[in-house]
Amino acid sequence: MKVRGTRLTDEMIDTIIANAFEGIVVVDEKGYIVYMNESYSNFVEVENDVAIGKHVTEVIENTRMHLVVQSGKEELADLQYIRGNYMIANRIPIFNKQGKVIGAFGTILFRDTSEWDKMNSHVKSMMSRIQNYLQEYESQTGVKYSLEDIIGDSEVIVSLKNKVKQIAPSDVSVLIRGESGTGKELFAHSIHQLSNRSSMPFIKVNCAAIPEHLLESELFGYEDGAFTGAKKGGKKGKFQLADGGTLFLDEIGDMSLPMQIKLLRALQEGEVEPIGASRPIKVDVRIIAATNRPLEKMIEEKRFREDLYYRIHVIPFYIPSLRDRKEDLPILANHFLRKISKRTGKRVRNISPEVLQVFSKSPWPGNIRELENVIQAAVHFSVGETLLIQSLPDYFKDSFTINLGVKTLKETLEETEKQVIIGAIEKNDGDKLLAAKQLGISKSSLYEKIKKYNITG
């Protein structure tokens, strides 16, 4: 290509790209930044040499560049919320000659003109209306979550999301299995929200939280004067409240055998009989049940009815534990970081690679709920914009130990020294002189160690 007789040189191309009006970023096959032009680095207020080498999620708010690398699918003219405004983003995967994804190229338009401000205001207005609609929908139906609230890009989660879309339109019963804290309720809400019953109520009953002598009246209701202390005028049970919609029976494995018999009768007959009523009432509900109990073993031990099991087990749905989907840890951790930082008002933007490494080693017995609680505590303990190991709550740090034999003593000591230095710099808002004084070393020694451990910032 020639420009008025002058050949377009590599130097000229580099200058054009570096000073292009659009923000430009390039990531490798793992989502780490290998290039960012001046426009983009100025916009996100991160020095170019600091951004390069970091994972894109640590630098760019609400980015999807790492997801495009994983999927190999381009995303054009997508709205992205960055620094208080909606931007127009393009994300394009980069393939080698063999067709393998080796990175992704992204651009973002953030022209500050009256036309853009007008469009941005319009988008915000529409988002506000949508939010109001969602709040009204939640108050009318009881649905709090959708498929978008299930965070993860692992193969098993993508497969489960597709399964939700397949089974949601039908009326068959679903039994969701999984450990406590894996997100069983999110899937139950999502199934209802995508079903033909979505405009009707979604009613939840926690079978483990309600005393056995009250569970019958909770499920089936009661008539006026049915028993001493009964509410005047009676009370509708959860089955009646869910009529036309979905009844979510959480922790169904904790239900007593007598209640299992009454529940089975209601499911078989499609009708309930409130306490004190003279005749049954027809109801139309879809049942979604959930449990972390081994129902098959409980059947063998005569603690769970086999006929009820087959009534609710039409479509089995197993949610894996967090330790079985650790590839989702970074995206989950960053999701909770943004959510908690926004709620608390603390400016914590990034999670250090060392913390993510610690997360990857944890068995997470409390699963996703435990992860959210750990990050919530860590955000409160953080003193800078990056969540460091020092910020993690003591109860979590005490739950893991150094794996002897994995690293040498020298490597372990160096890693600890690096984390202490990073923490001191963060605590003193980047003032290295104060950090050196706090650490009890000279400024020159601190700079030597910063260079040795390649500490940026």
Side-chain angles (χ1 to χ4, degrees):
M1 179 186 290
K2 291 187 177 182
V3 179
R4 293 186 179 179
T6 301
R7 185 174 180 275
L8 191 62
T9 64
D10 290 343
E11 184 179 358
M12 292 170 66
I13 294 173
D14 289 341
T15 302
I16 292 169
I17 293 174
N19 295 280
F21 182 77
E22 290 95 345
I24 297 173
V25 64
V26 181
V27 301
D28 64 15
E29 70 278 5
K30 293 183 179 179
Y32 288 90
I33 297 174
V34 296
Y35 176 82
M36 178 180 280
N37 73 345
E38 187 176 345
S39 294
Y40 214 149
S41 61
N42 288 340
F43 179 66
V44 295
E45 296 182 354
V46 177
E47 293 294 330
N48 191 276
D49 57 346
V50 173
I52 292 174
K54 283 191 173 183
H55 197 269
V56 67
T57 56
E58 298 180 54
V59 179
I60 302 175
E61 185 181 0
N62 296 319
T63 183
R64 289 182 54 82
M65 291 289 290
H66 58 304
L67 305 181
V68 169
V69 171
Q70 294 173 12
S71 68
K73 297 178 181 179
E74 65 180 24
E75 298 180 355
L76 301 177
D78 186 31
L79 283 176
Q80 184 173 341
Y81 192 75
I82 304 180
R83 300 183 63 78
N85 286 297
Y86 289 94
M87 309 298 166
I88 298 176
N90 295 313
R91 311 176 191 97
I92 302 170
I94 303 171
F95 299 88
N96 62 14
K97 292 181 179 180
Q98 289 73 41
K100 181 183 177 183
V101 178
I102 58 173
F105 167 81
T107 63
I108 195 161
L109 181 66
F110 41 79
R111 184 182 298 274
D112 187 19
T113 64
S114 59
E115 290 82 4
W116 172 252
D117 288 338
K118 183 178 180 181
M119 188 185 82
N120 191 41
S121 297
H122 179 65
V123 171
K124 286 183 175 179
S125 174
M126 292 303 294
M127 292 295 286
S128 177
R129 291 183 187 180
I130 291 171
Q131 186 63 34
N132 290 336
Y133 167 77
L134 291 175
Q135 289 175 352
E136 183 179 350
Y137 175 69
E138 179 184 334
S139 66
Q140 290 180 351
T141 66
V143 176
K144 297 179 181 179
Y145 310 107
S146 70
L147 212 56
E148 298 302 316
D149 293 302
I150 300 172
I151 308 299
D153 296 298
S154 60
E155 186 177 343
V156 63
I157 291 300
V158 171
S159 176
L160 284 174
K161 286 184 177 182
N162 289 332
K163 190 174 181 180
V164 167
K165 294 175 185 177
Q166 290 177 324
I167 67 174
S170 67
D171 268 346
V172 294
S173 299
V174 179
L175 177 61
I176 304 176
R177 313 285 289 271
E179 296 178 9
S180 178
T182 51
K184 296 187 290 295
E185 185 173 348
L186 268 67
F187 279 93
H189 281 257
S190 300
I191 292 170
H192 174 80
Q193 195 262 336
L194 291 175
S195 74
N196 297 328
R197 297 172 176 261
S198 60
S199 61
M200 302 303 287
F202 175 91
I203 303 295
K204 174 188 173 182
V205 179
N206 189 323
C207 302
I210 302 173
E212 183 181 343
H213 67 282
L214 296 178
L215 187 56
E216 182 178 1
S217 63
E218 278 294 312
L219 285 175
F220 308 129
Y222 56 80
E223 294 291 308
D224 187 9
F227 50 84
T228 303
K231 182 179 177 182
K232 186 176 181 180
K235 177 185 175 182
K236 288 185 176 181
K238 301 298 187 183
F239 266 91
Q240 286 176 270
L241 293 175
D243 191 25
T246 301
L247 182 62
F248 176 43
L249 299 172
D250 198 13
E251 306 296 351
I252 195 171
D254 291 71
M255 186 179 285
S256 68
L257 282 171
M259 275 306 305
Q260 290 177 34
I261 296 172
K262 294 176 181 178
L263 173 62
L264 178 62
R265 186 181 302 122
L267 298 181
Q268 288 175 333
E269 303 298 329
E271 59 185 29
V272 296
E273 190 169 328
I275 299 172
S278 57
R279 62 171 67 97
I281 300 171
K282 284 286 183 181
V283 289
D284 172 27
V285 298
R286 180 186 191 174
I287 296 295
I288 299 179
T291 185
N292 59 5
R293 295 294 191 95
L295 296 186
E296 293 80 5
K297 185 178 180 181
M298 292 176 67
I299 291 172
E300 293 177 6
E301 296 171 349
K302 308 297 183 183
R303 292 189 293 129
F304 198 86
R305 291 186 62 91
E306 187 173 13
D307 44 8
L308 177 59
Y309 172 79
Y310 287 114
R311 172 66 64 171
I312 63 174
H313 192 259
V314 178
I315 294 182
F317 215 87
Y318 178 74
I319 313 299
S321 62
L322 185 53
R323 60 184 169 276
D324 293 329
R325 46 176 288 213
K326 286 192 174 179
E327 60 267 46
D328 284 333
L329 266 170
I331 188 172
L332 278 165
N334 279 288
H335 165 75
F336 289 132
L337 180 68
R338 290 191 298 270
K339 173 184 171 183
I340 294 164
S341 296
K342 183 177 180 180
R343 186 174 69 230
T344 61
K346 293 202 68 172
R347 193 180 176 88
V348 185
R349 292 182 170 183
N350 309 309
I351 300 175
S352 72
E354 289 77 16
V355 169
L356 289 176
Q357 187 178 24
V358 168
F359 283 175
S360 70
K361 294 176 181 178
S362 173
W364 297 109
N367 291 291
I368 298 172
R369 188 180 296 123
E370 181 186 4
L371 173 63
E372 182 174 10
N373 290 340
V374 167
I375 292 178
Q376 180 169 318
V379 166
H380 285 287
F381 290 138
S382 292
V383 293
E385 292 192 359
T386 300
L387 197 154
L388 304 171
I389 285 181
Q390 294 90 328
S391 307
L392 297 176
D394 291 338
Y395 70 84
F396 180 76
K397 286 187 285 189
D398 293 342
S399 68
F400 64 87
T401 56
I402 297 172
N403 292 323
L404 297 177
V406 176
K407 290 185 177 181
T408 64
L409 177 61
K410 181 174 181 292
E411 289 172 335
T412 302
L413 291 173
E414 286 179 344
E415 183 177 318
T416 303
E417 185 177 55
K418 177 181 178 181
Q419 291 305 316
V420 171
I421 291 171
I422 291 173
I425 294 172
E426 286 276 354
K427 188 175 181 180
N428 290 282
D429 296 324
D431 190 321
K432 296 180 177 62
L433 180 59
L434 288 177
K437 287 182 179 180
Q438 188 181 70
L439 293 170
I441 59 177
S442 66
K443 188 175 181 180
S444 59
S445 295
L446 177 62
Y447 274 100
E448 287 176 6
K449 293 179 184 298
I450 288 174
K451 183 178 181 181
K452 175 183 177 181
Y453 297 127
N454 193 28
I455 298 172
T456 57

